[in-house]
Amino acid sequence: MKAMCRNLVLLFKVGIVLLAFSGCGKNEDNPVETSIVKPTANVAENISKTSFTASWNRVYMAQAYQLDVSTSKLFETFLSGFQNLAVSASFQDVTGLIPNTTYYYRARTTSNGKTSENSNSIEVKTLPDLTNVTLKGSAKDLYVGTCVQASKLTGSYNSILVNEFSSLTAEYEMKMNIFMPTQTSFDQKSYNFGPGDAIVNYASNNGMNVHGHALIWHNSTPLWIQNFAGSNTEFESVIKTYITDVVKHYKGKVKSWDVVNEAFEDGSESLRNSIFYQKLGADYIAKCFQWVKDADPEVLIFYNDYNLEADLKKRSAAFSMIDNLISRRVPVNGIGQQLHISYDGPSKAQIETVSQMITSRNLLVHYSELDIRANPRNELTSLTQERALAQKAKYKEVVQVFNALPKANKYAITLWGMKDNESWLIDFWKQADWPLLFDSSFQKKEAYNGFIEGLMN
Ligand code: XIL
């Protein structure tokens, strides 16, 4: 009887101790036999093209864990060998995966033959396989272009151009100061079409698109036009003839033209006080667009400008001008966002907003002169790995924004140059930078991978 009482007291004490433990059952470090604590899954690590490491927090007193990996968010199917996979550590390498594919994983705690509930599930995407990938091969519904110079179409330039790009733009050899450097009688023979023709013929021999740039730009007017001595009527006739001759010369070979480039002042709603504005008046833009379409009804015609993303006044003026053209049925097919930007700005939202303003008007979007400065504050003397990755991320972001636009509105993304050391920006800002996809030895940079990843997402 005494022994029975002692046993009862003992049982009672054990009960109290057990109750005390079960009171701590909500503490994840103290698993309870009947309600086993579930693990918390962590983000995947060591992500490669074909593998990643899944991990979760260690649950106190857990004997082991079970891991599920699936391509389905709801775990309706499982990767072979990854359903209830017993794992003793709190991580597991998951291998043999397909590149650029999304997987999900979750884990459970096991103890004394029982399992916990599922952990949270983690989404992870394997890296794309870039071995045989090219820019143009990865692009759907858009041209990937670059600007070129007629003297740089051979050797390594040629290999990269034909392998990677589906569209070309002349960096400067199809502007007015090159086509028409001195006063002309408007006889076809007096135009300097040589370098432009070399670029256009090269593109056509290699099955590439050509975007013409730029018919009217205040920065490429030859001196004799800049100092035009005749009447305004004569000036109009000169410009109309120029546009008509150039567009007809390239009819059927140049698919699109930037008709007017950079027509507005910075930080203002005013038209730039160019010779074109002075001599032809505010309606010169409409006239130029109409002359181009009259010369080649098939050609696509663009208005092109920079910093529409951050310069709200210029943006508003440019879109008012476009709306005015549309309301008067003056032809216009698209708008070029030049996108000479930096790794840290403008923001994704700012870029997206302008693109959406273009698509909402049913026009084509051209990211027409893309380059991304890695050194806008001039604190670097070489491209650090950290900055190269930041630049890569920005390229990816920009390309993703373009890629997400409606198919019918996508025209092209054109890079403003191929190799870092030949970028116009170095001369323009007089400081070191590495803004493009290829380095000075024609090697692909992280930025290149960012561009490809943007196209794949
Ligand atoms: C630049 C070219 O890159 C230079 O080679 C040339 O000397 C001047 O023009 N916005 C434009 C482009 O629309 O035409 C400019 O290109 C860069 C800024």
Side-chain angles (χ1 to χ4, degrees), residues 171-172 175 213 217 261-262 304 338 340 369 416 424:
E171 180 163 12
Y172 61 87
K175 293 171 179 167
H213 171 84
W217 185 33
N261 192 27
E262 305 178 355
N304 195 51
Q338 291 187 4
H340 295 293
E369 303 182 16
W416 210 243
W424 75 293

Side-chain angles (χ1 to χ4, degrees), residues 265-269 311 313-314:
E265 302 282 3
D266 290 326
S268 141
E269 304 214 357
D311 187 336
K313 288 192 175 158
K314 178 154 67 169

Side-chain angles (χ1 to χ4, degrees), residues 1-14:
M1 182 65 187
K2 255 189 181 172
M4 228 174 87
C5 276
R6 257 205 313 275
N7 282 344
L8 271 175
V9 168
L10 195 68
L11 266 177
F12 184 70
K13 283 183 178 166
V14 168

Side-chain angles (χ1 to χ4, degrees), residues 67-95:
L67 174 66
D68 296 334
V69 184
S70 176
T71 48
S72 126
K73 196 170 189 161
L74 300 174
F75 292 87
E76 287 147 339
T77 55
F78 296 90
L79 225 64
S80 162
F82 286 93
Q83 182 177 14
N84 303 332
L85 176 70
V87 183
S88 51
S90 59
F91 59 88
Q92 171 68 38
D93 287 336
V94 181
T95 57

Side-chain angles (χ1 to χ4, degrees), residues 147 149 169-173 175 177 213-214 217 219-220 258 261-262 304-306 338 340 368-369 371 416-417 422-425 427-428:
C147 72
Q149 300 172 16
T169 299
E171 180 163 12
Y172 61 87
E173 287 157 311
K175 293 171 179 167
N177 56 346
H213 171 84
W217 185 33
N219 255 342
S220 63
D258 288 329
N261 192 27
E262 305 178 355
N304 195 51
D305 214 332
Y306 63 95
Q338 291 187 4
H340 295 293
S368 57
E369 303 182 16
D371 46 30
W416 210 243
E422 291 172 0
S423 165
W424 75 293
L425 290 168
D427 191 41
F428 187 78

